[in-house]
Structure formats: C-alpha cells, structure tokens
C-alpha cells in the first residue's frame, strides 16, 4: 500500500461523486416532470407515466446501463462516452424513483389546500407553483436525501457494463494488482460509507424534525 | 436510422437465457428465505436484546445500508477466496445477498415490531402466553402483516440487484449476457431481451408475493384499521 494506491482510490471517489451529482441534477429534473405528469388531469399522460415507472422498477440498473450504452450507437453515434451513458441510465432510473417519491409527497398535501387555491381563482400552474409545490417540497426533503444514498451506491455498477471509472472499479483494479481484497474493498467501502452515512443521518434527522405527529 | 435489428440470433440462445433465469430465481429464493429469517432474528435482537447486541446489529445495518452491494460482494467473495475459503460460487453469492438483504429486513421488521402497541403485549402476558408464543403470535405475525408490502418490494429489488453478482462470476441471467454478446455481436438486442426477461421475472415475483399474502394473512381487515 502506498500513496499512489490511495490516490487511485480517491480519484475513483471523485468519479463516484461526479456521477452522483450529475444523476441527482438530471434525475431530479426528470423526476419532477415524472411526478407532475403522474398527477396530471389528463388520463393518458398519467397512465403512460405510470407504465414508465412500473417498467423502470422491474428492470435492473445494469440492463438499463447496457441499453443506454449500446442504444445511442443505433442512432448513428459512433462512440459513446462512458460518463454520458452512465448519466443517461442513472437519469432514467433516478427519474422514475424520484418521480414516484415526489408524487406521494404532492398527493400528501391536503386536498383542502388545492380547493382553497382553486377558490382563490388561481390557475392550475399557479396552484401548483404557489400552493402545492412549496408544501410538497417540505415533505419531500427527507426521502429525497435518503434516495441520494441509493444514487451514490448505485453508481458502483457504472463500471460493469459501461466502463466508467469510479471507486469500485479502481478498487477492483487495485485488488487485481495486489491481491489484498479485504484491504482495498474495505477502504472503498469506508469511502462509500463516508459519503453515504452523513446523508442517511441527515435524512433521519429531517424526518424526525418534520414528523409533526411525534413532536 | 438504418440499424437492422436481429433478434433471431439472440433468441437462438434461449436455453441459455432460461438457464440464467432459473439461476437468478433460485438465488433469489434462497437469499429471500435465509435473509428473512436472519433479518427477523436481527430485528428481535435489535429491539429486545442486550445493549451490546443491539449496538452490533445497529452497526451491521448501518454498514450494509451505506455501502454498495457490489463492494460487499467483492469484499466477501474475493476476501473469502484470499484466505483460502473456496466455496462454490453460488454459495458465496447467496451469502453475499443474505448479508445484504438481512440488513434491510432488520430495518423493516424493526419498524413493524415497533408498531405493536404495548397494550397488546400486556394482554398477551395476562393470557399467560409464554415468551415464544408472545413473539410468534402477538409480535411477529402482526408486525409482518403490517410491513409485508415493504418486505415484498425489497425482495423484488433483491432479485434485480442479484444481476450485480455476474461481476463475481455467477452465471445468472445477467451473467450469460457476455457470452451471448460475444457470440452474436448483437449487444443492444441482448439487453432488450434481458430487460424483457427481467420484467417478466419481477411480475412473476410480485404475483407470487401477492398470492403468499392471501395465504399467509387470512384475517380480513379494512385498510387503516389497527391490527
């Protein structure tokens, strides 16, 4: 074990963090669209969105990675950047789950709030933006922070099909050269833990803070 | 777009896909059963064990829930191999999955156990039930009934996550994809077929859990009423 190996692990950690951040950004935007479409008054839109969510929740992330890696080449893209393919797959994945989480939060906003906003003569977009979304956002914070842990953990499969270099990939390379699985996978595990644990703690703390019935 | 799809070449490998799906199902089955028993024991230890045991279980749950399954299986399977413990790969894979799903089961079952009102326990004590009887009939069964939906979806996720074990050399459904890809050079089609098979498997699993629900919890009650 020397500094070079540690550096390699940290470099992998950066890959993990970068992919997680991109996923959270694009997956979050996509998830918002999914959540809004899921509660759309248009039946067709709501049904199609639900089918999409069901579809995504029945598919392993690895298969999604494969589809996103080989799919673009069908459209004539010559070589697909691993980071691009991984982000694309993670966006589809996170969008579906975040969409479902946020739909629950939006629906948890009391019906009377909707009705009151309607009585004030606000349009649907205004009701959404000024009354429902701000309240839903409050409810959504703890599960969203909790889901970020899932995102970070799931980036670990990005190296398997797509070949994106992140923490678990670098740890595997180190193990292949040194044959010290406990040491390097243990260190990689610790690094993942160092990223995920604060998020889990934060999620639990927020949950307790926002849980009115237990206050 | 002038790509010509060729599913025929991929579908010619259907016996391989069927074999892989069978391995995935078996792996999921054993990991679910053993993981459920292990997780339930951990949940009991977590709620009513001695303090040191509670701490250990809490540490285990946190460690597993905050690290990826991929790293856990590398750590366990390559680690065991490095100290000379050479288990059949399917056994090693099952162990890795059990260690992983056990932590999630612990957390879910703990929530179920916590939701049992103290009055229920006092009533059971008054009836003169033994400790084991109290646990089996008054605590675990209602607790499981309450958290059953979460448990079921966690086990469906486990089936999907088992695809990760292809990277340690398990020839389950995802593991065969490499072979079919290198034989057919039809990467995209392989993943489409894999996706369809996984979708079918998760529907199958959900149906099985639904039937199990009907069989296990025969007491009919209205949703939202306390157990």
């Amino acid at each position: 074990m020397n500094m070079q190996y540690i550096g390699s692990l940290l470099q992998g950690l950066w890959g993990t963090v970068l992919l997680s951040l991109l996923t959270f950004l694009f997956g979050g935007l996509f998830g918002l669209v999914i959540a809004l479409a899921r509660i759309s008054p248009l039946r067709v839109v709501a049904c199609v969105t639900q089918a999409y969510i069901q579809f995504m929740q029945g598919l392993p992330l690895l298969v999604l990675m494969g589809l996103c890696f080989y799919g673009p080449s069908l459209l004539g893209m010559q070589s697909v950047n691993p980071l691009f393919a991984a982000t694309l797959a993670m966006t589809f994945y996170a969008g579906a789950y975040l969409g479902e989480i946020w739909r629950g939060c939006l629906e948890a906003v009391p019906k009377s709030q909707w009705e009151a906003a309607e009585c004030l003569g606000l349009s649907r977009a205004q009701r959404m933006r000024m009354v429902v979304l701000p309240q839903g956002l409050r409810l959504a914070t703890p599960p969203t922070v909790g889901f970020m842990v899932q995102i970070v953990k799931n980036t670990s499969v990005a190296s398997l099909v797509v070949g994106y270099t992140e923490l678990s990939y670098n740890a595997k390379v180190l193990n292949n050269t040194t044959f010290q699985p406990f040491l390097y996978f243990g260190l990689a595990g610790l690094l993942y833990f160092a990223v995920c644990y604060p998020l889990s703690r934060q999620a639990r703390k927020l949950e307790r803070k926002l849980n009115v019935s237990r206050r | 777009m002038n790509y010509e799809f060729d599913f025929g070449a991929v579908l010619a490998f259907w016996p391989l896909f069927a074999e892989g799906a069978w391995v995935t199902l078996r792996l999921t089955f054993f990991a679910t059963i053993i993981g459920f028993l292990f997780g339930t024991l951990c949940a009991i230890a977590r709620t009513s064990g001695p303090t040191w045991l509670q701490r250990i279980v809490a540490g285990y749950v946190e460690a597993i829930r905050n690290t990826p399954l991929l790293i856990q299986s590398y750590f366990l399977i390559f680690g065991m191999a490095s100290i000379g413990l050479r288990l059949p790969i399917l056994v090693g894979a099952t162990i890795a999955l059990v260690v992983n799903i056990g932590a999630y089961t612990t957390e879910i079952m703990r929530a179920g156990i916590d939701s049992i009102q103290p009055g229920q326990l006092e009533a059971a004590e008054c009836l003169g039930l033994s400790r084991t009887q109290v646990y089996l009939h008054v605590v675990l069964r209602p607790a499981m009934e309450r958290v059953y939906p979460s448990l079921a979806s966690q086990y469906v996720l486990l089936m999907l996550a088992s695809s990760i074990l292809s990277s340690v050399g398990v020839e389950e459904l995802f593991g065969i994809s490499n072979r079919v890809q290198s034989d057919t050079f039809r990467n995209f089609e392989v993943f489409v077929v894999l996706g369809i098979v996984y979708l079918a498997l998760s529907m199958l699993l959900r149906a099985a859990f639904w039937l199990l629900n009907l069989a296990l919890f025969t007491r009919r009650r209205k949703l939202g009423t306390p157990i």
Side-chain angles (χ1 to χ4, degrees):
Chain A
M1 185 159 138
N2 58 31
M3 284 323 281
Q4 200 190 339
Y5 291 169
I6 299 291
S8 166
L9 281 179
L10 290 178
Q11 216 170 7
L13 182 66
W14 165 240
T16 294
V17 171
L18 178 67
L19 181 55
S20 305
L21 288 177
L22 287 175
T23 303
F24 189 66
L25 179 65
F26 292 115
L29 289 174
F30 188 47
L32 192 61
V33 175
I34 294 284
L36 292 177
R38 184 71 180 77
I39 56 168
S40 156
L42 292 170
R43 282 291 295 275
V44 187
V45 177
C47 282
V48 169
T49 319
Q50 195 192 359
Y52 171 77
I53 293 171
Q54 290 290 326
F55 181 73
M56 280 300 155
Q57 294 190 339
L59 220 58
L61 184 56
L62 273 178
V63 170
L64 206 57
M65 291 264 175
L67 292 174
C68 289
F69 189 57
Y70 296 110
S73 65
L74 305 191
L75 302 171
M77 271 174 81
Q78 281 310 308
S79 68
V80 183
N81 181 313
L83 179 59
F84 171 77
T87 309
L88 192 65
M90 292 289 290
T91 299
F92 283 134
Y93 161 83
Y97 281 84
L98 281 176
E100 192 69 352
I101 293 171
W102 290 343
R103 172 192 67 102
C105 297
L106 289 180
E107 282 181 346
V109 174
K111 202 93 197 134
S112 47
Q113 294 284 331
W114 284 85
E115 288 161 358
E118 224 169 309
C119 290
L120 287 174
L122 301 179
S123 71
R124 188 180 161 85
Q126 282 174 320
R127 260 180 280 159
M128 223 16 153
R129 190 165 51 85
M130 303 200 293
V131 180
V132 180
L133 274 184
Q135 297 185 58
L137 206 67
R138 242 176 94 80
L139 294 172
T141 321
T144 305
V145 176
F147 187 73
M148 284 171 80
V149 175
Q150 302 284 340
I151 293 180
V152 174
K153 287 194 294 179
N154 280 321
T155 56
S156 66
V157 306
S159 56
L160 298 182
V161 180
V162 181
Y164 175 66
T165 19
E166 35 71 51
L167 182 49
S168 62
Y169 177 78
N170 282 7
K172 195 169 180 202
V173 170
L174 287 180
N175 175 52
N176 288 347
T177 43
T178 60
F179 302 110
Q180 285 177 302
F182 283 129
L183 177 63
Y184 288 107
F185 294 129
L187 282 175
L190 275 180
L191 289 177
Y192 276 111
F193 190 82
V195 178
C196 293
Y197 187 62
L199 289 173
S200 310
R201 288 271 318 240
Q202 197 59 30
R204 221 170 305 146
K205 226 167 81 186
L206 284 167
E207 213 165 305
R208 226 174 291 131
K209 214 167 96 185
L210 294 174
N211 191 347
V212 189
S213 62
R214 249 209 261 156
R215 218 167 6 208
Chain B
M1 189 169 140
N2 45 16
Y3 186 84
E4 273 180 38
F5 286 100
D6 182 8
F7 283 104
V10 176
L11 288 176
F13 284 87
W14 73 265
L16 215 54
F17 281 101
E19 202 181 305
W22 179 235
V23 176
T24 292
L25 278 181
R26 266 189 313 176
L27 206 58
T28 311
F29 179 77
F30 287 114
T32 300
I33 301 277
I34 306 172
F36 172 71
L37 294 176
F38 179 58
T40 306
L41 286 179
C42 285
I44 294 173
R46 180 83 173 81
T47 46
S48 57
T51 320
W52 59 269
L53 192 59
Q54 287 193 18
R55 289 226 180 99
I56 293 178
V57 175
Y60 155 69
V61 170
E62 288 299 332
I64 296 298
R65 276 166 39 108
N66 288 304
T67 48
L69 172 63
L70 183 67
I71 291 291
Q72 290 159 17
S73 38
Y74 280 162
F75 186 85
L76 280 172
I77 292 171
F78 293 148
M80 283 193 293
S82 79
I83 54 170
L85 204 63
R86 292 202 177 273
L87 295 168
I89 186 66
L90 275 178
V91 177
T94 311
I95 293 175
L97 283 180
V98 165
V99 167
N100 182 269
I101 197 67
Y104 291 91
T105 307
T106 305
E107 202 56 5
I108 294 173
M109 283 304 280
R110 187 177 69 106
I113 292 174
D114 278 347
S115 75
I116 304 293
Q117 287 132 5
Q120 296 275 327
L121 294 180
E122 285 158 21
E125 235 166 84
C126 290
L127 285 174
L129 298 182
S130 72
R131 222 177 128 80
T132 337
Q133 282 175 321
V134 172
Y135 251 102
L136 280 181
H137 302 296
V138 185
V139 178
L140 286 183
R141 209 181 150 85
M144 195 181 153
E145 192 170 344
R146 226 175 250 187
V147 296
Y148 187 79
S150 327
L151 277 181
S153 54
Q154 195 67 54
Y155 294 136
V156 174
L157 286 179
L158 170 76
M159 189 273 289
L160 298 177
S162 72
S163 60
I164 288 174
L165 290 161
S166 59
S167 62
V168 288
V170 184
E171 287 267 283
E172 42 70 79
L173 184 50
F174 195 85
I176 58 140
S177 68
N178 278 335
R179 255 159 81 187
V180 183
Q181 280 181 68
S182 52
D183 279 359
T184 60
F185 298 109
R186 290 285 168 184
N187 303 324
F188 189 73
E189 283 92 330
V190 169
F191 280 103
V192 171
V193 173
L194 272 183
I196 292 169
V197 182
Y198 269 112
L199 271 178
L201 282 187
S202 42
M203 275 195 274
L204 186 77
L205 221 55
R206 278 180 204 158
F209 277 114
W210 180 75
L211 285 176
L212 197 64
N213 182 30
L214 291 186
L216 277 180
F217 309 115
T218 44
R219 182 172 49 160
R220 291 282 150 259
R221 62 185 174 91
K222 281 190 193 129
L223 271 177
T225 53
I227 297 171

